[in-house]
């Protein structure tokens, strides 16, 4: 969400647990103490609270697409958890439809392509209903199904039937894992059929150095061998204390060792980031060049959940974007 939008929606709905102006809201989210994934997730109660109508959800979805396009993005897969938007009577189906309508408006205004991934929450028991609602929009903009929220104590296989139903409906599967919990969480996600791993940064805990050589544990080797894309989010993974700094992030190691690494934002408001900022972190702290950015962006296109025709259009736009750029 844009800070100004949070402020305006809070005023419209009468939600009084946030500062009154957008500049103070930036500080409200930016200056909090975060020591874990759970701390990072806590402020979502405020953003969710102002998105409980069709109009508010539609507006936020539209603006998210426009803001990504402003940052240079040409294709995005936006995520939302419909069950979080039912507090004022909106159904899951209505929430998904509102998000899709907003995405379509954003596409029309910005000229970029976007699709929707529907999330069920790991710590809730309604994943089957979420999967059913998401499946109704296959072919209409919903391309994937995800499990999000706290990992510890909520393994993905608790939702195995919902994941299977989503896949049977024609949705691709990506599962948050290897952020709040370690390698075992990633393995469970793989066993549940994940085609991509949300974050997955702790896969490095399954890689060890032995006499100058790297050895890969069974989970790391499976992720690498099966070309399971890792949806890495530098700023967010620093914010949640999964890694200590941009310089310490293992994206360069994973990329060098043949893992399918991709660059992502996670939540732009909570982490005060966008794709340009993520690229900047990699350039400043990892020495990534345009060749590196092009390669990782192509990884993302290959792993995208959209149809092949859209992939080719996006691939062409990316290729044009790098024409004439030297390797800097």
């Amino acid at each position: 969400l844009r800070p100004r939008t949070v402020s305006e929606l809070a005023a419209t709905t009468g939600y009084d647990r946030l500062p009154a102006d957008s500049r103070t809201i930036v500080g409200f989210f930016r200056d909090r103490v975060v020591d874990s994934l759970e701390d990072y997730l806590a402020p979502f109660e405020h953003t969710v609270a102002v998105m409980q109508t069709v109009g508010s959800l539609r507006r936020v979805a539209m603006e998210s697409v426009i803001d990504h396009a402003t940052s240079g993005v040409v294709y995005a897969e936006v995520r939302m958890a419909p069950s979080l938007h039912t507090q004022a009577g909106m159904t899951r189906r209505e929430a998904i439809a509102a998000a899709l309508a907003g995405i379509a408006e954003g596409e029309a205004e910005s000229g970029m392509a976007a699709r929707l991934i529907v999330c069920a929450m790991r710590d809730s028991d309604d994943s089957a209903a979420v999967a059913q609602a998401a499946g109704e929009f296959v072919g209409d903009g919903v391309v994937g199904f995800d499990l999000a929220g706290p990992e510890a104590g909520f393994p993905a296989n608790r939702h195995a039937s919902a994941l299977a139903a989503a896949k049977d409906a024609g949705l691709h599967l990506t599962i948050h894992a290897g952020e709040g919990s370690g390698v075992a969480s990633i393995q469970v996600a793989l066993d549940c059929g994940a085609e991509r791993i949300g974050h997955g940064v702790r896969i490095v805990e399954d890689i060890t150095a032995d006499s100058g050589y790297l050895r890969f544990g069974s989970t790391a080797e499976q992720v690498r061998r099966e070309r399971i894309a890792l949806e890495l989010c530098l700023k967010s993974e620093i914010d949640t204390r999964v890694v200590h700094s941009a310089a310490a992030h293992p994206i360069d190691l994973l990329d060098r060792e043949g893992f399918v690494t991709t660059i992502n934002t996670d939540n732009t408001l909570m982490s005060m980031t966008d794709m340009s900022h993520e690229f900047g972190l990699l350039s400043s702290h990892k020495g990534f060049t345009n060749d590196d950015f092009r390669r990782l962006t192509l990884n993302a296109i290959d792993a995208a959940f959209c149809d092949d025709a859209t992939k080719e259009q996006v691939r062409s736009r990316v290729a044009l974007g790098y024409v004439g750029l030297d390797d800097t």
Side-chain angles (χ1 to χ4, degrees):
L1 289 77
R2 297 173 180 172
R4 181 183 296 276
T5 297
V6 177
S7 178
E8 291 177 357
L9 291 178
T12 299
T13 61
Y15 186 73
D16 60 2
R17 295 181 58 195
L18 284 168
D21 67 90
S22 59
R23 287 176 297 178
T24 310
I25 282 177
V26 170
F28 178 86
F29 288 112
R30 183 187 60 200
D31 298 334
R32 69 195 190 282
V33 176
V34 177
D35 291 317
S36 66
L37 173 61
E38 287 73 20
D39 289 343
Y40 182 84
L41 294 174
F44 279 83
E45 69 170 298
H46 302 296
T47 56
V48 165
V50 301
M51 293 188 290
Q52 295 299 324
T53 66
V54 167
S56 62
L57 191 52
R58 183 169 180 163
R59 172 183 173 178
V60 169
M62 176 192 67
E63 292 178 349
S64 72
V65 174
I66 293 170
D67 290 347
H68 279 309
T70 301
S71 182
V73 174
V74 296
Y75 174 78
E77 290 175 359
V78 182
R79 302 182 196 223
M80 58 89 71
S83 293
L84 299 181
H85 302 280
T86 59
Q87 298 170 10
M90 192 164 33
T91 67
R92 297 183 187 91
R93 193 181 189 286
E94 288 170 339
I96 295 171
L100 287 172
I103 287 172
E105 291 176 0
E107 287 182 297
E109 182 168 335
S110 69
M112 68 166 275
R115 301 292 184 268
L116 185 66
I117 294 175
V118 172
C119 302
M121 304 305 293
R122 283 174 171 267
D123 54 347
S124 297
D125 58 4
D126 65 346
S127 56
V130 178
Q132 181 179 354
E136 295 180 26
F137 294 90
V138 172
D140 294 320
V142 176
V143 294
F145 185 74
D146 180 26
L147 294 178
E151 288 181 66
F154 303 101
N157 55 13
R158 292 178 69 244
H159 306 278
S161 60
L163 291 163
K167 185 175 182 179
D168 288 344
L171 293 170
H172 293 279
L173 300 182
T174 177
I175 299 176
H176 278 64
E179 181 191 20
S181 295
V183 176
S185 178
I186 298 174
Q187 186 60 58
V188 173
L190 296 174
D191 294 342
C192 288
E195 302 166 61
R196 300 188 332 219
I197 299 294
H199 298 283
V201 64
R202 291 181 65 177
I203 194 68
V204 295
E205 296 172 7
D206 206 31
I207 303 172
T208 56
D210 184 6
S211 301
Y213 294 93
L214 293 180
R215 297 188 181 276
F216 300 91
S218 59
T219 302
E221 184 54 40
Q222 181 181 354
V223 169
R224 188 171 69 152
R225 182 183 65 251
E226 297 182 4
R227 308 289 293 165
I228 304 295
L230 300 175
E231 303 166 353
L232 300 173
C233 311
L234 269 73
K235 183 61 166 58
S236 166
E237 289 152 8
I238 296 166
D239 290 344
T240 56
R241 303 297 190 266
V242 182
V243 296
H244 298 300
S245 65
H249 197 285
I251 185 172
D252 48 344
L253 168 67
L254 295 169
D255 179 46
R256 187 170 61 247
E257 295 302 322
F259 290 83
V260 180
T261 54
T262 66
I263 310 169
N264 307 271
T265 61
D266 202 347
N267 187 280
T268 56
L269 173 63
M270 299 301 177
S271 286
M272 296 294 165
T273 191
D274 58 19
M275 284 299 292
S276 295
H277 184 64
E278 298 291 323
F279 276 43
L281 288 173
L282 286 168
S283 175
S284 299
H285 298 279
K286 292 295 186 181
F288 274 36
T289 67
N290 285 329
D291 280 350
D292 297 315
F293 293 132
R294 177 168 47 228
R295 185 180 65 259
L296 269 62
T297 301
L298 291 174
N299 283 349
I301 297 171
D302 290 340
F305 289 160
C306 58
D307 59 274
D308 289 341
T310 302
K311 282 189 181 184
E312 288 308 309
Q313 293 171 2
V314 174
R315 189 175 283 109
S316 296
R317 291 193 67 180
V318 168
L320 287 172
Y322 283 94
V323 169
L325 295 181
D326 59 6
D327 183 20
T328 58

